[in-house]
Amino acid sequence: MAIGTTITQHILSQQRENPEATGAFTLLMHELIVAAKVISKEVNKAGLADILGATGETNIQDENVQKLDVYANRIIIERMQHIGQLCCMGSEEVADLIDIPAKFPKGNYILLFDPLDGSSNIDVNISIGTIFGIYRKKSDETDINFLLNEVLQPGYEQVAAGYFLYGSSTMMVYTTGKGVHGFTLYPSVGEFLLSHENIRIPERGKTYSVNESNYQYWDDNTKALVDYYKTKDKKTGRSFTSRYVGSLVADFHRNLLKGGIFLYPADNKDPKKPTGKLRLMVEANPLAMVVEQAGGYASDGKGPILKIQPKDLHQRVPLFIGSKEDVKIAERFLRGERE
Ligand code: AHM
Ligand code: MG
């Protein structure tokens, strides 16, 4: 595809490859992209609210002073609920499944999302993002009280997944199972244009990304793995560098383009979260689909993230994700083997 291809053209071209497509998915994606553009605009002016409010230059509505992650959550729900393609949604910010109000038609798709990942970085001008995964409902059920079983599908059932990254520029990276494609928002035009066609993650990288302050809470195998990254080895040429900003979506994106591994292992810091911090359904699964489509791999330390049968919408998992060889090495360490 030519550089300059808009995201809409790209989605439509993928739709045309599938003779059974009805256009419902294209419509869904279109609306999600509009929501992301609105969030991107709001993220760009984070920090200005106080300044403008103080000078009275603008009439700050209640929504402008809302916490940005709450705002992003609301924008996505409000924009997506009326399009007629979704049967329900699940958000990191909302405990239960989100129903579609009775006044709107329902469809067969399920949207799961983390509205603003990297919440600790919102106020400090470091990249944050929106992560999404889309599934298709398999039964005729429409009652929200019975839809959880439809939602709790393993990640390999996702029909699409991706993220919006609000960084030095705003990007959208997505897959529908036909490779991974990246688009950059051209603010003056207001369109996402194809900038990274068919992204492939290097088989091995030189970067590891982890919150090492948790070292004392890890088991011996995890400690040995991170020690391995930190030990240079002339004979094998092993020489890792560390990069961690604390926004999964940003750390993941860097490693997707340059190679490397992001890990958030299980730890014993909080007995309520023995399996680590990150959420299977709204964080791990979407990024796992992206990384596998780019030739990489995502594991919970034992096996593929995408094969985990979820039990709970907000279930947490250990996450090892990135270059395939690096994640395989991590699995070996976690089994007690050493390089
Ligand atoms: P969030 O969804 O509330 O932002 O939490 C998830 C974030 C990830 O983006 C990031 O990788 C991780 O939490 C950072 O956690 P920590 O501060 O423990 O390193
Ligand atoms: Mg998150």
Side-chain angles (χ1 to χ4, degrees):
M1 275 222 169
I3 299 292
T5 304
T6 68
I7 180 68
T8 311
Q9 287 173 325
H10 197 268
I11 295 168
L12 277 171
S13 78
Q14 300 219 333
Q15 181 192 313
R16 273 183 226 113
E17 282 175 28
N18 177 3
E20 283 161 33
T22 60
F25 176 75
T26 304
L27 191 66
L28 189 168
M29 288 302 293
H30 179 263
E31 205 60 24
L32 188 61
I33 290 162
V34 175
K37 286 184 194 169
V38 174
I39 296 167
S40 172
K41 193 126 187 54
E42 210 60 28
V43 167
N44 285 160
K45 55 181 211 230
L48 273 178
D50 285 345
I51 301 167
L52 298 176
T55 58
E57 273 178 39
T58 194
N59 176 19
I60 302 282
Q61 305 293 319
D62 201 25
E63 64 196 33
N64 292 95
V65 293
Q66 261 185 13
K67 281 187 68 197
L68 260 181
D69 43 4
V70 178
Y71 174 83
N73 186 55
R74 185 167 64 77
I75 290 293
I76 295 175
I77 295 172
E78 285 180 4
R79 289 217 74 95
M80 300 308 294
Q81 66 185 3
H82 70 88
I83 58 169
Q85 314 304 343
L86 294 173
C87 62
C88 63
M89 291 178 260
S91 162
E92 189 193 295
E93 295 283 332
V94 183
D96 298 320
L97 278 183
I98 303 160
D99 200 3
I100 305 300
K103 61 182 169 184
F104 302 124
K106 280 190 176 183
N108 288 326
Y109 285 103
I110 299 161
L111 173 66
L112 303 184
F113 60 95
D114 179 354
L116 215 47
D117 175 63
S119 42
S120 66
N121 284 328
I122 292 174
D123 294 336
V124 290
N125 217 344
I126 291 178
S127 303
I128 48 183
T130 300
I131 306 174
F132 64 91
I134 298 167
Y135 296 77
R136 214 179 267 115
K137 175 165 71 91
K138 296 192 165 158
S139 74
D140 295 337
E141 189 57 64
T142 55
D143 186 333
I144 192 74
N145 298 307
F146 302 101
L147 279 176
L148 191 58
N149 275 342
E150 292 292 325
V151 173
L152 296 179
Q153 299 182 38
Y156 66 76
E157 297 280 12
Q158 287 171 114
V159 294
Y163 55 88
F164 298 90
L165 180 64
Y166 314 114
S168 40
S169 55
T170 294
M171 275 197 75
M172 172 179 176
V173 172
Y174 90 116
T175 180
T176 55
K178 296 185 187 113
V180 178
H181 309 285
F183 297 77
T184 302
L185 183 63
Y186 279 51
S188 53
V189 187
E191 278 285 5
F192 281 100
L193 301 182
L194 183 61
S195 53
H196 298 65
E197 191 172 16
N198 202 17
I199 298 171
R200 304 296 296 170
I201 185 168
E203 283 277 308
R204 288 202 71 168
K206 291 205 171 291
T207 301
Y208 75 99
S209 311
V210 66
N211 184 344
E212 222 171 316
S213 72
N214 291 326
Y215 190 90
Q216 71 177 100
Y217 304 112
W218 294 332
D219 65 17
D220 288 345
N221 288 339
T222 309
K223 284 179 180 166
L225 173 64
V226 174
D227 291 342
Y228 161 84
Y229 298 140
K230 289 163 68 166
T231 312
K232 314 264 182 233
D233 182 14
K234 274 205 181 127
K235 217 166 67 205
T236 58
R238 174 171 15 119
S239 171
F240 276 88
T241 189
S242 159
R243 291 281 182 279
Y244 187 78
V245 297
S247 292
L248 168 65
V249 63
D251 281 311
F252 172 83
H253 182 70
R254 180 198 52 244
N255 294 356
L256 179 71
L257 298 184
K258 302 205 160 184
I261 180 167
F262 173 97
L263 49 153
Y264 209 112
D267 60 53
N268 60 15
K269 188 160 65 171
D270 179 351
K272 284 197 290 262
K273 300 175 196 164
T275 51
K277 178 177 182 188
L278 300 175
R279 290 82 167 174
L280 174 62
M281 304 293 287
V282 296
E283 294 175 323
N285 269 338
L287 299 185
M289 180 174 182
V290 170
V291 87
E292 290 214 356
Q293 280 292 316
Y297 179 44
S299 169
D300 67 350
K302 296 194 177 102
I305 287 285
L306 292 177
K307 285 199 179 155
I308 297 175
Q309 173 58 54
K311 297 188 184 71
D312 172 11
L313 183 58
H314 295 282
Q315 179 173 339
R316 295 174 195 267
V317 277
L319 180 62
F320 301 81
I321 188 167
S323 293
K324 191 186 264 172
E325 264 311 301
D326 291 326
V327 179
K328 293 281 182 195
I329 289 171
E331 280 185 339
R332 291 204 282 276
F333 267 88
L334 292 173
R335 282 198 299 264
E337 297 166 25
R338 300 289 182 263
E339 286 296 298

